[in-house]
Structures are given as C-alpha cells and as structure tokens.
Amino acid sequence: MARTARDVLDDALRTLAPGGGTVRLVPEIASGRAPRAALAAFALEQHHVITSDRRSFAHLAERAGEGRQPLAADFFDHLVRGEDVALDRLGPLAAACGLDEAAVRAHEPRAGCQAYPAYAAWLALCAEPVDVVVALSTNFAAWGGYCATVGLALREHYGFDDAACGFFDFFATPDPEGAQRTLAAVGGGLTDGRLSEPLAHRYGRLLRDYESMFWETLSP
C-alpha cells in the first residue's frame, strides 16, 4: 500500500518527538520558579527569531512557487502570515516583562538562542521545500505544547493578562487550516517524488535540537 501524507507526518512525529527532560525551563516556568529575567530574555530573543523565520518562510514560499510546488508554497505563505501575527503579539509580552522599544533595539542576541533561526535560514536556501514542511511540522507540535504550558503559567504564577499571553496563546491554539495545508503539501511532494523522508527527519532532528538549545540558553 502506498504511503500517504498522514503516514509520513505520523512517522516523523514519532521519530522526532522530544524526549522527557529535553527542555528544563518550561517546567520551571510552569511551577513559577523561573525568574522574570528569563521571561524577558525570551521576549527579546523572539524578536530576532520571528523576524528571521518570517524571511526564511517567505523565501521558501518563493522557491516552492518557482519550482511548481504550489501546495508547498501555500504552506509557507500561511507561515509568513502567522509570523506577522506572532510579531504583533510579542509587543504586549515584552511590555509585561518591563521592556520598552529601546531595550528591544539594544538587545544583543545570544548564539544559543539564534541557532534555530540560523538553521531555518539554511534550510530556506538549500533544502527541498517539502522536506522542510515535514521537519517544521514535527517541531511545531512540540513548540505548541511548550507555549500552552507557558501561557497558563504566566497567568497563574506571574500575573500576566490575556494580552501579555497572546503570543503563547497564538501558537498553542490548534490551526486546522495549517494542518490541511501541511497534509496537502506533503501529499504533493509524495506525488511529485520530491520528498526525501531521511532528509526530512535529519532536518527535523536538528531543528528539535536547536529548539532545545534555545530554551537551554535561556535557563538561569
């Protein structure tokens, strides 16, 4: 029986799911033990991550379109719009952490936090777009879970309001349209013979590890 897009994504998710204890800071935030400085650092680093990822996704959409992969292009266009929302919602989070625009502009990013977007930029230049669809989708599943945990904790332990938690709520909320675009893009890659599951898993593994590095760098 031929493999389906769902088969590909389910296998990738099982293979690449983070192991227990991979991210130390999230449980610290969940319990209220993490210092507010770590939350501020998160907001500062995310300004760089989001702006970089948006450009990477836009480039992937352009490459996919030029390569006659309209379903993959639609997937990345959807991500670009999501990054616009995320950047807009990052402002209230930064303000709740006591950061003004001058502090955001003055921040010098940390290498460990920016390894993920740097690798995403490499993927945008070098990887087959549909392989990146699979790799990103597995990482987004873990990221969404982290954001759900942090959003709840910020309300319970840190007194943040809904606006301040909007960044995390956005990523924690299920995205049916994004899921449909993911399945369509992977299905198109299977039909066209463009998908390489070993490479998609390699890319996903590295994104997972760079994601862990981001959180580890923020840990006090």
Side-chain angles (χ1 to χ4, degrees), residues 61-87:
E62 181 180 354
R63 285 183 57 214
E66 291 173 350
R68 298 183 180 179
Q69 302 172 68
L71 297 175
D74 287 345
F75 170 87
F76 290 113
D77 281 334
H78 184 69
L79 294 189
V80 170
R81 292 193 295 273
E83 296 301 297
D84 288 337
V85 175
L87 189 60

Side-chain angles (χ1 to χ4, degrees), residues 1-214:
M1 183 181 296
R3 283 175 67 71
T4 67
R6 175 53 60 196
D7 294 331
V8 170
L9 291 167
D10 286 348
D11 285 350
L13 190 58
R14 282 193 296 269
T15 301
L16 300 169
T22 302
V23 173
R24 293 186 303 145
L25 182 59
V26 171
E28 290 292 307
I29 297 172
S31 66
R33 295 192 302 267
R36 287 179 175 266
L39 305 176
F42 175 96
L44 290 166
E45 295 293 339
Q46 279 296 321
H47 274 278
H48 293 273
V49 174
I50 295 295
T51 53
S52 177
D53 281 355
R54 188 193 184 284
R55 292 172 182 168
S56 296
F57 299 153
H59 188 68
L60 279 158
E62 181 180 354
R63 285 183 57 214
E66 291 173 350
R68 298 183 180 179
Q69 302 172 68
L71 297 175
D74 287 345
F75 170 87
F76 290 113
D77 281 334
H78 184 69
L79 294 189
V80 170
R81 292 193 295 273
E83 296 301 297
D84 288 337
V85 175
L87 189 60
D88 184 62
R89 296 193 180 190
L90 198 54
L93 174 63
C97 292
L99 303 168
D100 58 17
E101 291 185 7
V104 172
R105 288 194 301 270
H107 176 67
E108 289 295 329
R110 307 178 194 183
C113 290
Q114 299 306 314
Y116 180 103
Y119 186 62
W122 184 91
L123 292 175
L125 291 172
C126 301
E128 181 67 43
V130 69
D131 294 343
V132 184
V133 173
V134 175
L136 286 171
S137 297
T138 60
N139 182 255
F140 289 162
W143 169 249
Y146 299 150
C147 286
T149 298
V150 172
L152 289 173
L154 293 184
R155 292 176 168 92
E156 181 177 356
H157 298 296
Y158 297 88
F160 284 22
D161 61 16
D162 288 345
C165 296
F167 176 89
F168 298 101
D169 294 345
F170 172 67
F171 287 110
T173 301
D175 179 14
E177 181 183 352
Q180 290 176 356
R181 288 173 184 263
T182 302
L183 283 169
V186 175
L190 283 169
T191 299
D192 296 342
R194 294 177 180 268
L195 176 65
S196 168
E197 290 189 64
L199 284 177
H201 285 208
R202 177 190 296 174
Y203 302 152
R205 173 180 57 81
L206 287 167
L207 285 172
R208 178 197 65 196
D209 292 348
Y210 289 135
E211 173 79 25
S212 297
M213 186 184 297
F214 172 87

